[in-house]
Amino acid sequence: MKITAVEATLLKVPLDGPLRPTWNPGVVHQHTYLTLLQIHTDAGITGVGAGPATGFEGVVGVHHFLAGSLIGKDPFATERHIKLIRSASVRIGWTWMVEMALWDIIGKAAGLPVYKLWGGYADRVKAYASLAETRAPEKAVEDAWRLYEEGFRAIKLRFREPDVRQEIRVVEAIRSALGDRIDLMVDANQAEVMPGSGDYFVWDYFIAMDVARALKDLGVLWLEEPLPRYDLDNLARLTERSPLPIAGGELNRGLHEFKLLIERGCYHILQGDAAFSEGMFQLRKAAAIAEAFGRQFIPHTWSNGIGLRANLQVIASLPNAGWLEFPYDPPAWTVQARDRMLLDPLTIDPDGYVTVPQKPGLGFELDPDAVKRYGLAIHIPNI
Ligand SMILES: [Mg+2]
């Protein structure tokens, strides 16, 4: 089989309302952007991947740095192509969508979902509702009940306010209202923020430790990104002394960074993402290092419906994941908004699990009408 064409398109997908995510303080999101990548082959199979985008950077980068080198090559040779994908990532950012699309081709050629080619560890995965916004205690309790009634048995809350005591009150309020019906995680999003953010409060080691102790008493499962991404000394100190697991690594990149984080003891739970961190098969190598050190590897998944599916295939293949981050914060970030470019929205079962799609490849079908509707055209000159 040979690659015959590589096609990249920027999609601007409307949300179902304004979203104020904690990872972009002061910014209101009305849309989500993604670079949709389609790799066509002479066998008539097309592989699909997607990368996070803020504009046309992915489309231009694929055109300039990747397409010409991939055409005529064997899509199965992912270990050869990863060198090209990595070198392009240095110039243009998140190029891991190329590996995603190649594995979609390989799964489709084999007639199997990718996770079954990689060990098929789990056919169902427990999902947690991953919120994007902070909320006041009363609203948080109301929303937690609603999520519980929808079937979720775990919720990840966001912290971003300057007064952490106020945020701990949110967790206390949910715990006292719902008791042990629901598992809770907390994401402080301190590792970094998106460009264009307004002013925001940054934690230090002592705040992170105080919050970790308070959350332990409230039965929270993990504290995520409590410190800046490369504050490795304090991350290691916190992980060593924290009474509850510390999670992070969602935007760390490359095997070498995951090796460093694990060797330095920076997190109990590593959270590399197949859209942001590395190619999805490469991410399994980072997960194997984590496994050898007795650590969990629970991928981050907040990008778009396609990134979520790719990470789900990785998770379902791993013995040391066990959770699926289910990006969900209605009324803005709904299943419909997240999966608007797909024909088969991913939902949870009534008991809070996600059944891994059994369609070959990454387990989804692109909606060609939606691609036309949300695709933005650009003319790229040959230079
Ligand atoms: Mg996170």
Side-chain angles (χ1 to χ4, degrees), residues 23 128 130 156 158 187-189 222 224-225 248 250 271 300 302 325:
W23 54 84
Y128 66 86
S130 178
K156 189 166 80 187
R158 302 280 167 174
D187 191 342
N189 278 120
W222 74 66
E224 184 167 324
E225 290 200 333
E250 61 188 52
Q271 298 179 302
H300 166 265
W302 258 100
E325 177 175 34

Side-chain angles (χ1 to χ4, degrees), residues 34-75:
L34 58 130
T35 306
L36 177 72
L37 185 79
Q38 296 182 77
I39 300 183
H40 305 284
T41 65
D42 59 2
I45 296 174
T46 294
V48 180
T54 49
F56 285 104
E57 72 276 12
V59 176
V60 173
V62 166
H63 181 84
H64 280 313
F65 293 112
L66 290 158
S69 303
L70 287 167
I71 291 167
K73 302 281 169 48
D74 175 3

Side-chain angles (χ1 to χ4, degrees), residues 133-202:
E133 300 185 344
T134 58
R135 49 259 280 154
E138 311 75 52
K139 176 77 166 73
V141 169
E142 190 187 307
D143 288 347
W145 275 121
R146 182 176 44 76
L147 291 167
Y148 178 76
E149 276 152 24
E150 287 179 29
F152 287 101
R153 295 294 174 264
I155 303 172
K156 189 166 80 187
L157 304 163
R158 302 280 167 174
F159 280 15
R160 174 55 82 192
E161 307 303 327
D163 183 355
V164 290
R165 287 167 304 180
Q166 191 59 35
E167 307 207 84
I168 287 162
R169 271 180 217 123
V170 173
V171 186
E172 286 169 349
I174 294 177
R175 188 56 88 206
S176 80
L178 277 83
D180 292 333
R181 289 181 185 86
I182 203 132
D183 283 322
L184 294 171
M185 302 84 158
V186 167
D187 191 342
N189 278 120
Q190 296 291 316
E192 65 190 74
V193 295
M194 273 180 74
S197 294
D199 198 16
Y200 58 95
F201 179 72
V202 182

Side-chain angles (χ1 to χ4, degrees), residues 103-127:
W103 279 104
D104 193 36
I105 291 171
I106 296 166
K108 284 171 176 166
L112 289 168
V114 169
Y115 83 101
K116 292 230 168 177
L117 301 174
W118 292 347
Y121 187 78
D123 299 319
R124 301 176 81 219
V125 184
K126 195 157 39 154

Side-chain angles (χ1 to χ4, degrees), residues 314-357:
V314 175
I315 289 165
S317 79
L318 294 177
N320 55 337
W323 284 101
L324 172 71
E325 177 175 34
F326 193 90
Y328 191 55
D329 204 342
W333 192 278
T334 57
V335 169
Q336 290 70 28
R338 187 195 66 206
D339 292 350
R340 209 153 247 154
M341 71 301 285
L342 305 177
L343 289 171
D344 35 19
L346 189 75
T347 52
I348 59 160
D349 300 338
D351 57 354
Y353 280 69
V354 163
T355 301
V356 185

